[in-house]
Amino acid sequence: MKKIWILLIVLFIGITSAFAYTIEAGVSVDKIPKTLFGTWQVEAHLVETNSPRTFKPTSTDLWNLSRVGNVLKLDNPFTGAKAEVGLQATEGNLVVFTKTADWDNKVLKDVVSIRIEKDTFSGINEVKLETHSLYDGHVLTTEKARYEIKGKRLAGQSIK
């Protein structure tokens, strides 16, 4: 039962959660492609993992990406979930961001790289789930997954 709950939490936070993006120093807000903003249908397909019982082979989700000042937001209209992530890089139509979520003795880290082409994007989501000792905090297990992700714009900003 505990593994089922962990799986549900990982999937909720790692694949289907929504994020709020905080711009890190060195990455200009102006370099974020305007085509990133809008509502996207996102499909994820597991490419590789060291823990097939933890990570779901496929998922479909909605991301609503918007910007308020120096903060980028990615909201899930169905779950309402949000987490802070950092924008690591932008180069042309490539966007790379990271996210870390902590709960109990678990730490989930995502690195998402997407390339936007008109009203679609494709990329990779690398997920790492660490379980830490409640006694001294050292890492007990590390579970990893690599997902291929594809997005299709449903509404909002588009290339003209």
Side-chain angles (χ1 to χ4, degrees), residues 100-117:
T100 301
D102 299 320
W103 72 98
D104 297 331
N105 62 328
K106 308 276 186 205
V107 177
L108 181 69
K109 298 176 183 177
D110 288 80
V111 177
V112 177
S113 302
I114 58 174
R115 187 166 303 278
I116 304 164
E117 297 292 338

Side-chain angles (χ1 to χ4, degrees), residues 36 40 63 65 93-97 112-116 121-125 149-150:
L36 178 67
W40 299 86
W63 292 358
L65 288 144
N93 61 353
L94 174 69
V95 178
V96 180
F97 59 85
V112 177
S113 302
I114 58 174
R115 187 166 303 278
I116 304 164
F121 71 71
S122 60
I124 297 292
N125 181 9
I149 57 175
K150 294 184 186 274

Side-chain angles (χ1 to χ4, degrees), residues 15-132:
I15 305 303
T16 62
S17 68
F19 317 97
Y21 299 78
T22 304
I23 307 296
E24 293 180 345
V27 179
S28 171
V29 175
D30 298 329
K31 292 192 177 202
I32 299 168
K34 290 183 181 10
T35 56
L36 178 67
F37 305 116
T39 301
W40 299 86
Q41 177 181 326
V42 181
E43 294 184 8
H45 298 277
L46 185 63
V47 175
E48 64 182 293
T49 183
N50 66 351
S51 185
R53 291 177 25 185
T54 301
F55 297 102
K56 198 161 111 171
T58 62
S59 70
T60 301
D61 201 5
L62 284 182
W63 292 358
N64 184 27
L65 288 144
S66 60
R67 174 181 160 191
V68 178
N70 286 343
V71 176
L72 298 176
K73 290 185 166 241
L74 188 147
D75 300 300
N76 184 318
F78 294 116
T79 67
K82 296 176 181 159
E84 288 189 11
V85 301
L87 183 65
Q88 275 203 322
T90 62
E91 183 178 320
N93 61 353
L94 174 69
V95 178
V96 180
F97 59 85
T98 62
K99 175 192 79 66
T100 301
D102 299 320
W103 72 98
D104 297 331
N105 62 328
K106 308 276 186 205
V107 177
L108 181 69
K109 298 176 183 177
D110 288 80
V111 177
V112 177
S113 302
I114 58 174
R115 187 166 303 278
I116 304 164
E117 297 292 338
K118 295 189 180 182
D119 290 336
T120 64
F121 71 71
S122 60
I124 297 292
N125 181 9
E126 298 198 36
V127 182
K128 181 167 64 169
L129 175 64
E130 295 177 341
T131 302
H132 294 257

Side-chain angles (χ1 to χ4, degrees), residues 2-14 16 54:
K2 185 176 180 180
K3 286 190 178 203
I4 291 172
W5 280 110
I6 291 171
L7 175 62
L8 291 173
I9 291 170
V10 167
L11 293 173
F12 176 75
I13 294 174
T16 62
T54 301

